[in-house]
Amino acid sequence: MALVERLADKLEKPALDDRSYRVVRLPNKLEALLVHDPDTDKASASVNVNVGSFSDADDMPGMAHAVEHLLFMGTEKYPIENDYNQYLSAHAGYSNAYTSSTETNYFFEVAASSSRDTDAPMNAAVTSPLHGALDRFAQFFIAPLFLSSTLDRELKAVDSENKKNLQSDVWRLSQLKKSLSSPEHPYHHFSTGNLQTLRDDPRKRGVNIRDEFIQFHHKHYSANRMKLVVLGREKLDELEAWVGDLFAGVVNKDLPRNRWDGVQPYSEKELLTQVFAKPVMDSRLLDIYFPYQDEEDMYETQPSRYLSHLIGHEGPGSILAYIKAKGWANGLSAGVAPVCPGSAFFTVSVKLTEDGLKQYQEVVKVVFQYISLIKEQEPQQWIVDEVRGMTEVDFRFREKSPATSFTSRLSSIMQYPLPRDQLLSGTSVLRKFDSKGISQALSYIRPDNYRLTLVSQTFPGDWDQKEKWYGTEYRIEPIPLDFQASIRQAAGSTSKNRIPDLHLPHRNEFIPTKLSVDKREGVEPLKAPKLIRNDEAVRLWWKKDDRFWVPRGNVYITLRNPLSKATPETAVKSNLYCELVKDALVEYSYDAEIAGLEYQLSSFSMGIDIDVGGYSDKMAVLLEKVLVSMRDLEVKPDRFKIVKERVLRGLRNWDFQQPYRQVGDFTRWLGSEKGWVNEQYLAEVIPLTAEDITSFYPQLLRQMHIEFLAHGNIHKEDALLMTDLVESTLRPRTLPKSQWQIRRNLLLPPGSDFTYRRTLGDPANVNNCIEYYLYVGSLADHSLRAKLLLLGQMTEEIGFDQLRTKEQLGYIVFTGAKYAATIMGYRVIIQSERPTDYLEERVNAFLILFGSKLESMSQDDFEGHKRSLINKRLEKVKNLDQESERFWNHISAEYFNFVQNETDVEHLEPLSKEDMINFFNHYIHPTALSRAKLSVHMIAQSSPKAIAGTMSAEEQKEKLISMLGKYLTSVGVEADADKLSKRFGLVDVAGGDQAAIIDAISSYLQEDAGLPQESLTAVMEQGQQLLGTALPSLGIEVKVEEADLPPAPEMKPTTVIEDVFDYKSRLAVSEGPRPVRDLKEYEELEAKL
């Protein structure tokens, strides 16, 4: 047997990385990166295959994506279609995959140990969940089944995924860019695929689609094109043995690496053109696309970084600073976007204002003037040195990321031609200054090598074409000759005629210089921060990092003031104030941002939040600048107009989000004692003036209580000084505790069943959505919380398998616990083209099905679910940011339960199956008299229910008969209206009884029209396709054949919420949150500095 070849045993790695690495190549040429992490509680693996949508057949777009879906549906060794996901779910794991243009990436994670003792030795494959997962995973690439029984379902899943994105501007504009590229390059492809491209059209051509998918896998999936990453607690030798054994069966076909060198996405025909595109959401974007060189082999010098650093700069002298001052733009970004081996784009993207849209040609000329400024000087080594220095610092102090993020990212990176010992640092670290390389890169950024795209809902208004796959309206034309000439003039400008405000950036004063960390060995990490100041004005939480030892920190501050969201008007004013402060700080804060130090400013129900995070060296400097800007904000009318318009657009665009992203806001609103929704904010924005904000924001800052968390490489004295900085800068009066806002939720009474229906704002969205919520109890009830968590664990895989995979209700299916401020419940979310009433019916059926499975569940399976959940709850934080966020979430929630996960485990361990059956039958079972339910239905305007309106059942029947008559006439069959009507006499057309409708048509054709059998089949086949569009167009919801579906129970009538105020007024409210421990137990107080 051939030996595994070791390519690298030592990799460049961050200073604090305690993992061991090894790169190996199997005899079949599959390459693997093995990672031994002695402390990980999650094991993971990823395979990246060097094939994607660029390899799709021209007449069957979406093949690579469909194959990705189908590999999950069973293998020869593990033929049960959901065996893989069942195994992962039973071991605290999950899986996913994605298909891009040149790669398909599969990944999973599982518990690193099968026992709760995460420090137990791992010596045998049988004790490791990773080995079992790897065994199942490897079979994807050895012997997938492509089961005929799953084919149609998974193609419908692909179709549903595509329909989910049809109204997404990101997808629409990306596909428009592709569709308008050269047809000679695979960039032109439609990558996702749908039922038409993957099933219906191929079948019409006589293609056996299953054979096509098998052939695609056989043709493109080769061991030498695969990169594997495996991360676990096992020693490298053991991982190497597992990989060598389990992946040996992957066939090597010695396929060359996919490259596209002979053709470019843009030919001369596509250059010097401008595309005008109409978006779904109200946005204004200007994109300049320059065909650019492939930099794969330039990983040491990365010349595009020099270009993106300068063109995308936001500080004084930059393009953005100038066009923002002119009132033309709100943002700008620049950078290289690899297309595939052989080609790339360098893109400059500008977020335009209303005035900027009118002046877009001037904006383009400013960009080219700045490019001329860069070109007229030799590449500046000090700029590269500054960028290189930050890349080195960032890599040196890089922390661990979640297991699947790491393995998925690294398996993709392994496809690049990097030295194997540089896989971790790769393109993250800039290594050399290459003046000639930068000059070569600049040679692509020229006035005869670009395309413009202008995105706007209003300009120019005369779009004359529609993109094939998404229906995006657009117009394309050559750039006018006079505009071309002015661009050439701008590109050739010199210091004598260039805009004087443009200049290269200054040296960055925010580059951190103090990077030392006071690391102490053998320290047991604290589980909670200490309360080092606790008085009427301030509550200061602090924890010096004792786990990650990086020179970074995070500061979270809440300026508590109930005025921030007392009404929709004050909420909008608070939001506008924060946006104006951020707008004023753009130039100053950009240097901090590129030096690894950022801030956030936002308003929420309890007040104003300030977050500052990054390298701790200059953290206080940035915080002080933010505070001073908040205190001294000058609301300039020109900037107010621009920021207000941006906020207004954001609120208007809210209605055009995916329905599943909207539904939760309504559920929260209906469960809150006081809260607001988007339409209420929208009504308050329009009348606001600059003077309104000028007079309002001092009230926000006049009186407050300060909640403060300092965590990381921050000494106690520095935390106290930063707190003093907030007080001394803002000088607020103390907000007495008696005036603090108390979070409360509305309580659904036992036996209640409410439904709230809402029509979606986007008329073109075809998807409905439901959030089905069952109230369980108080967040403070630890026993109930444990049962709810376990219910979520037990229903996760079965819910996905039943509702999405088997019933094909939609691509978006979520099940699990839902938490509000003080209460919790169980929820199911489904986004689907199916009617919301039908979705609710199927959720009821699913819950009945799960109840029976719970009753019959073996003790081993029940304990396996508990073990899996306990592993999840005890999962370690991976980096400083995760721990900071966990602390702040507990502080903000006002329960201060810093050991919530351990508390959950204490209450999970004693749970019995009988406990869960009783819990389910009381709170969850659809016919339980004690359960309390709220359903929110988001209904598409194009849904049958919305279309039907006031149309009577008889009118619907008459119109259907008329449509059928026209169809029969068009195919040469006599249509006798009277006889057709008689055939439909007892048919429930309005009820969508499609089977009866088809029987009526068939009877008419055979008995009344006397159609021979050979003609009957063709006419009926086309007729059934017609019904698929005709019935919904008449507002008729088609009944689905339910013979193989779990039965739904008979339910009592629901109470429809017509008046939200009346609904809320009838409900009791919860208690407010209270600390689980006396806060004095956290105190470590000293004299105030």
Side-chain angles (χ1 to χ4, degrees):
M1 180 178 174
L3 296 176
V4 172
E5 179 186 2
R6 294 182 181 177
L7 304 180
D9 260 326
K10 293 189 180 299
L11 274 64
E12 288 182 355
K13 62 181 186 178
L16 299 169
D17 190 343
D18 60 355
R19 292 168 170 166
S20 304
Y21 299 91
R22 179 182 297 166
V23 183
V24 301
R25 184 187 293 126
L26 306 191
N28 60 6
K29 296 188 180 178
L30 185 149
E31 194 176 12
L33 169 63
L34 311 175
V35 187
H36 164 58
D37 186 339
D39 298 320
T40 189
D41 45 21
K42 289 291 185 183
S44 176
S46 172
V47 165
N48 188 284
V49 189
N50 175 220
V51 64
S53 62
F54 279 13
S55 300
D56 288 347
D58 289 340
D59 61 355
M60 207 167 167
M63 288 183 73
H65 184 210
V67 168
E68 170 222 306
H69 275 249
L70 290 164
L71 291 199
F72 286 81
M73 295 292 109
T75 61
E76 288 183 10
K77 186 172 182 180
Y78 297 100
I80 299 174
E81 66 180 63
N82 64 333
D83 177 89
Y84 173 64
N85 285 327
Q86 276 187 333
Y87 180 88
L88 296 179
S89 179
H91 294 90
Y94 74 95
S95 67
N96 212 332
Y98 67 82
T99 302
S100 69
S101 55
T102 62
E103 62 183 37
T104 308
N105 194 293
Y106 304 83
F107 54 90
F108 72 82
E109 74 171 33
V110 286
S113 168
S114 59
S115 68
R116 182 183 161 184
D117 178 13
T118 54
D119 294 319
M122 303 289 294
N123 297 317
V126 71
T127 67
S128 171
L130 175 59
H131 185 274
L134 277 176
D135 187 17
R136 288 162 174 80
F137 189 50
Q139 295 301 311
F140 282 26
F141 314 102
I142 297 171
L145 289 176
F146 292 95
L147 291 168
S148 299
S149 59
T150 68
L151 192 63
D152 205 53
R153 281 195 273 112
E154 281 310 301
L155 293 183
K156 286 179 180 177
V158 170
D159 188 66
S160 181
E161 183 177 352
N162 178 60
K163 284 176 176 170
K164 171 181 72 72
N165 299 324
L166 287 178
Q167 289 300 101
S168 164
D169 281 328
V170 172
W171 287 87
R172 291 166 69 89
L173 296 173
S174 173
Q175 186 59 51
L176 179 63
K177 181 181 170 187
K178 294 176 180 181
S179 294
L180 295 179
S181 66
S182 170
E184 302 301 314
H185 194 283
Y187 184 70
H188 187 76
H189 284 177
F190 168 47
S191 58
T192 309
N194 58 30
L195 276 180
Q196 177 190 339
T197 67
L198 294 168
R199 186 190 69 181
D200 299 344
D201 287 351
R203 281 180 178 170
K204 288 176 185 176
R205 299 193 302 268
V207 172
N208 183 316
I209 57 174
R210 178 172 179 267
D211 288 349
E212 289 297 311
F213 295 132
I214 292 171
Q215 179 59 28
F216 185 94
H217 187 274
H218 177 74
K219 179 180 178 181
H220 295 290
Y221 276 57
S222 173
N224 73 305
R225 278 187 174 175
M226 298 181 189
K227 308 299 179 185
L228 167 67
V229 179
V230 181
L231 181 154
R233 292 177 56 200
E234 293 75 13
K235 300 291 186 182
L236 291 176
D237 289 347
E238 190 166 10
L239 292 175
E240 182 179 307
W242 288 2
V243 167
D245 175 39
L246 297 175
F247 287 84
V250 182
V251 176
N252 176 32
K253 298 154 191 170
D254 273 325
L255 300 177
R257 183 172 181 240
N258 275 318
R259 291 193 64 87
W260 291 267
D261 291 309
V263 62
Q264 290 296 314
Y266 287 171
S267 66
E268 286 189 17
K269 179 183 175 183
E270 285 77 39
L271 295 174
L272 299 182
T273 55
Q274 54 186 8
V275 178
F276 300 94
K278 183 181 181 182
V280 172
M281 291 193 176
D282 187 3
S283 60
R284 294 180 295 269
L285 297 170
L286 168 66
D287 291 321
I288 310 174
Y289 298 108
F290 298 92
Y292 188 72
Q293 64 188 356
D294 174 12
E295 288 190 346
E296 271 195 348
D297 294 322
M298 304 177 193
Y299 52 87
E300 290 189 316
T301 57
Q302 302 172 56
S304 63
R305 281 213 182 192
Y306 185 84
L307 279 62
S308 58
H309 177 75
L310 295 179
I311 297 172
H313 210 280
E314 298 179 13
S318 65
I319 298 170
L320 180 61
Y322 179 77
I323 58 179
K324 184 168 174 278
K326 298 288 284 185
W328 295 343
N330 285 313
L332 180 148
S333 60
V336 69
V339 173
C340 61
S343 58
F345 289 114
F346 188 90
T347 305
V348 181
S349 186
V350 185
K351 294 180 180 178
L352 298 172
T353 63
E354 289 180 306
D355 288 341
L357 182 63
K358 299 170 187 173
Q359 300 291 338
Y360 84 93
Q361 294 189 358
E362 295 302 313
V363 173
V364 174
K365 287 188 276 186
V366 173
V367 171
F368 276 94
Q369 282 208 28
Y370 196 87
I371 291 167
S372 74
L373 168 68
I374 299 172
K375 287 183 175 181
E376 84 176 3
Q377 304 179 47
E378 289 294 316
Q380 304 290 297
Q381 182 163 353
W382 73 265
I383 293 176
V384 174
D385 288 344
E386 199 171 81
V387 174
R388 184 180 69 221
M390 278 310 305
T391 67
E392 291 171 349
V393 169
D394 287 342
F395 179 69
R396 178 183 169 193
F397 296 108
R398 180 188 291 172
E399 298 173 79
K400 291 179 182 178
S401 56
T404 49
S405 299
F406 174 85
T407 57
S408 177
R409 182 175 63 86
L410 261 294
S411 67
S412 177
I413 287 173
M414 288 177 72
Q415 296 287 2
Y416 292 91
L418 292 163
R420 301 294 92 172
D421 63 346
Q422 293 180 15
L423 287 176
L424 300 180
S425 52
T427 56
S428 301
V429 176
L430 183 58
R431 299 171 190 277
K432 294 179 181 177
F433 169 66
D434 180 4
S435 180
K436 289 182 179 179
I438 292 171
S439 296
Q440 172 67 20
L442 282 166
S443 72
Y444 290 88
I445 317 301
R446 60 181 194 268
D448 65 344
N449 186 49
Y450 66 94
R451 166 181 273 180
L452 301 180
T453 297
L454 197 67
V455 177
S456 165
Q457 283 191 334
T458 58
F459 182 82
D462 57 347
W463 310 277
D464 56 2
Q465 298 185 66
K466 281 193 174 182
E467 193 274 325
K468 177 178 180 179
W469 302 109
Y470 288 81
T472 305
E473 293 182 70
Y474 73 95
R475 180 159 68 87
I476 183 170
E477 64 187 25
I479 293 175
L481 294 178
D482 59 340
F483 186 21
Q484 287 190 43
S486 61
I487 289 175
R488 286 195 299 272
Q489 185 178 4
S493 64
T494 67
S495 57
K496 294 180 180 178
N497 58 0
R498 187 181 300 122
I499 297 168
D501 292 334
L502 299 177
H503 59 79
L504 295 182
H506 51 68
R507 294 182 185 273
N508 191 343
E509 299 302 322
F510 273 99
I511 299 291
T513 54
K514 298 177 183 177
L515 296 168
S516 60
V517 177
D518 180 23
K519 183 176 182 180
R520 290 166 291 157
E521 301 293 342
V523 176
E524 181 66 27
L526 295 175
K527 295 178 181 179
K530 297 174 181 177
L531 190 54
I532 60 173
R533 182 176 166 192
N534 187 15
D535 52 46
E536 290 184 350
V538 174
R539 204 155 50 192
L540 170 57
W541 301 87
W542 165 79
K543 184 191 171 192
K544 176 75 169 65
D545 176 36
D546 54 7
R547 189 187 296 270
F548 303 105
W549 312 111
V550 289
R552 285 192 281 264
N554 290 301
V555 163
Y556 295 87
I557 308 166
T558 288
L559 309 179
R560 191 191 306 269
N561 184 325
L563 183 62
S564 66
K565 281 204 174 178
T567 66
E569 181 187 15
T570 63
V572 167
K573 287 179 177 177
S574 299
N575 182 36
L576 269 170
Y577 165 64
C578 292
E579 291 300 314
L580 286 162
V581 173
K582 290 189 286 186
D583 184 72
L585 279 168
V586 167
E587 288 185 36
Y588 179 86
S589 64
Y590 186 72
D591 274 352
E593 183 182 328
I594 59 178
L597 184 60
E598 298 184 55
Y599 82 99
Q600 293 292 329
L601 182 68
S602 59
S603 64
F604 76 124
S605 60
M606 307 305 285
I608 301 294
D609 262 6
I610 309 168
D611 305 339
V612 182
Y615 294 105
S616 52
D617 180 17
K618 309 238 169 75
M619 182 176 284
V621 177
L622 180 58
L623 175 60
E624 182 175 21
K625 182 66 175 180
V626 172
L627 293 167
V628 170
S629 297
M630 291 174 66
R631 183 193 66 195
D632 299 338
L633 176 68
E634 179 187 353
V635 183
K636 298 176 181 178
D638 58 335
R639 292 312 302 171
F640 173 79
K641 177 184 174 184
I642 290 169
V643 172
K644 174 186 169 180
E645 191 275 335
R646 188 173 72 212
V647 169
L648 190 58
R649 272 191 297 128
L651 291 170
R652 285 173 175 158
N653 286 338
W654 188 91
D655 279 334
F656 293 84
Q657 297 179 99
Q658 290 285 338
Y660 79 94
R661 296 188 183 278
Q662 299 181 39
V663 70
D665 279 16
F666 290 106
T667 311
R668 282 188 289 274
W669 176 51
L670 293 167
S672 301
E673 181 186 22
K674 186 170 74 171
W676 323 113
V677 285
N678 190 71
E679 66 193 45
Q680 294 168 309
Y681 298 137
L682 191 55
E684 300 297 336
V685 176
I686 296 171
L688 290 179
T689 65
E691 291 74 22
D692 290 329
I693 306 303
T694 299
S695 61
F696 171 75
Y697 84 78
Q699 299 174 54
L700 273 179
L701 305 182
R702 183 175 299 141
Q703 190 175 23
M704 66 182 68
H705 174 267
I706 300 166
E707 190 93 55
F708 198 117
L709 168 66
H711 176 230
N713 189 41
I714 302 170
H715 291 282
K716 187 175 185 178
E717 297 77 14
D718 294 326
L720 289 162
L721 286 170
M722 280 192 281
T723 311
D724 289 345
L725 183 63
V726 177
E727 288 186 288
S728 62
T729 304
L730 300 180
R731 298 188 176 279
R733 290 171 48 221
T734 296
L735 181 74
K737 195 168 186 178
S738 60
Q739 296 180 32
W740 293 12
Q741 186 172 334
I742 300 174
R743 290 184 174 93
R744 296 184 189 274
N745 285 108
L746 300 173
L747 303 177
L748 297 177
S752 60
D753 187 322
F754 294 102
T755 299
Y756 179 73
R757 297 191 175 107
R758 186 87 176 190
T759 301
L760 289 166
D762 181 359
N765 199 315
V766 299
N767 290 302
N768 303 299
C769 185
I770 180 175
E771 180 162 24
Y772 179 113
Y773 172 77
L774 301 172
Y775 167 70
V776 168
S778 167
L779 277 179
D781 189 326
H782 299 304
S783 177
L784 272 182
R785 176 183 163 93
K787 292 169 186 173
L788 177 61
L789 285 167
L790 187 53
L791 175 69
Q793 160 67 28
M794 291 192 292
T795 58
E796 181 179 24
E797 193 279 329
I798 186 178
F800 187 89
D801 182 59
Q802 183 63 38
L803 298 172
R804 180 181 146 173
T805 305
K806 288 189 170 68
E807 298 193 27
Q808 286 293 306
L809 294 179
Y811 184 76
I812 300 296
V813 174
F814 299 127
T815 61
K818 182 182 180 76
Y819 303 105
T822 60
I823 61 173
M824 58 190 172
Y826 180 79
R827 64 92 184 266
V828 179
I829 290 180
I830 305 173
Q831 180 172 296
S832 171
E833 291 182 82
R834 310 297 287 279
T836 52
D837 288 341
Y838 178 76
L839 298 179
E840 178 140 342
E841 181 182 296
R842 298 317 306 154
V843 174
N844 287 329
F846 160 67
L847 292 176
I848 293 288
L849 173 69
F850 171 75
S852 65
K853 287 183 178 291
L854 177 60
E855 292 272 3
S856 60
M857 187 179 291
S858 71
Q859 192 61 33
D860 283 348
D861 284 348
F862 179 78
E863 292 300 326
H865 280 299
K866 280 174 57 179
R867 183 171 60 249
S868 180
L869 178 57
I870 287 170
N871 279 331
K872 289 178 183 176
R873 300 310 294 162
L874 295 179
E875 185 175 346
K876 300 173 184 175
V877 289
K878 301 296 186 292
N879 51 56
L880 182 76
D881 288 347
Q882 281 190 2
E883 186 171 51
S884 297
E885 189 174 345
R886 179 181 287 185
F887 288 154
W888 187 241
N889 285 341
H890 289 307
I891 292 167
S892 299
E894 298 182 284
Y895 286 100
F896 304 96
N897 192 354
F898 298 108
V899 291
Q900 176 73 69
N901 290 359
E902 294 179 16
T903 305
D904 290 340
V905 171
E906 288 173 12
H907 288 82
L908 280 166
E909 288 180 322
L911 286 182
S912 67
K913 180 180 160 184
E914 184 180 0
D915 292 331
M916 288 304 298
I917 291 172
N918 292 337
F919 170 80
F920 179 85
N921 288 335
H922 185 86
Y923 293 100
I924 310 298
H925 195 286
T927 61
L929 297 178
S930 51
R931 83 166 193 164
K933 181 180 78 70
L934 168 66
S935 275
V936 178
H937 293 201
M938 306 295 291
I939 301 169
Q941 290 186 37
S942 57
S943 70
K945 182 174 288 187
I947 292 169
T950 57
M951 196 185 301
S952 70
E954 200 56 39
E955 285 176 307
Q956 289 174 317
K957 182 181 289 189
E958 288 174 4
K959 290 193 175 187
L960 177 63
I961 292 170
S962 174
M963 293 171 75
L964 287 171
K966 290 176 182 177
Y967 160 68
L968 293 175
T969 301
S970 72
V971 295
V973 178
E974 182 183 354
D976 186 316
D978 290 338
K979 290 181 178 179
L980 259 177
S981 296
K982 286 181 181 178
R983 291 291 178 185
F984 276 85
L986 298 177
V987 176
D988 182 12
V989 171
D993 192 347
Q994 189 167 358
I997 293 170
I998 291 170
D999 283 345
I1001 299 170
S1002 179
S1003 297
Y1004 172 82
L1005 291 174
Q1006 291 181 78
E1007 300 172 23
D1008 297 329
L1011 208 64
Q1013 187 62 45
E1014 60 269 19
S1015 300
L1016 177 69
T1017 302
V1019 173
M1020 285 299 298
E1021 185 176 319
Q1022 291 181 52
Q1024 288 184 51
Q1025 292 180 7
L1026 171 68
L1027 287 176
T1029 55
L1031 294 177
S1033 74
L1034 296 173
I1036 298 168
E1037 297 174 353
V1038 180
K1039 286 183 180 176
V1040 180
E1041 186 59 51
E1042 299 179 9
D1044 297 327
L1045 297 182
E1050 288 290 327
M1051 300 296 295
K1052 67 179 183 181
T1054 187
T1055 301
V1056 178
I1057 301 170
E1058 304 284 0
D1059 183 331
V1060 173
F1061 181 84
D1062 181 67
Y1063 156 79
K1064 288 190 173 187
S1065 69
R1066 296 172 184 272
L1067 299 182
V1069 296
S1070 69
E1071 295 182 350
R1074 289 177 293 178
V1076 296
R1077 291 170 56 187
D1078 189 333
L1079 296 190
K1080 291 186 180 300
E1081 295 181 37
Y1082 298 108
E1083 286 184 349
E1084 185 179 279
L1085 306 180
E1086 295 178 4
K1088 185 173 179 289
L1089 293 180

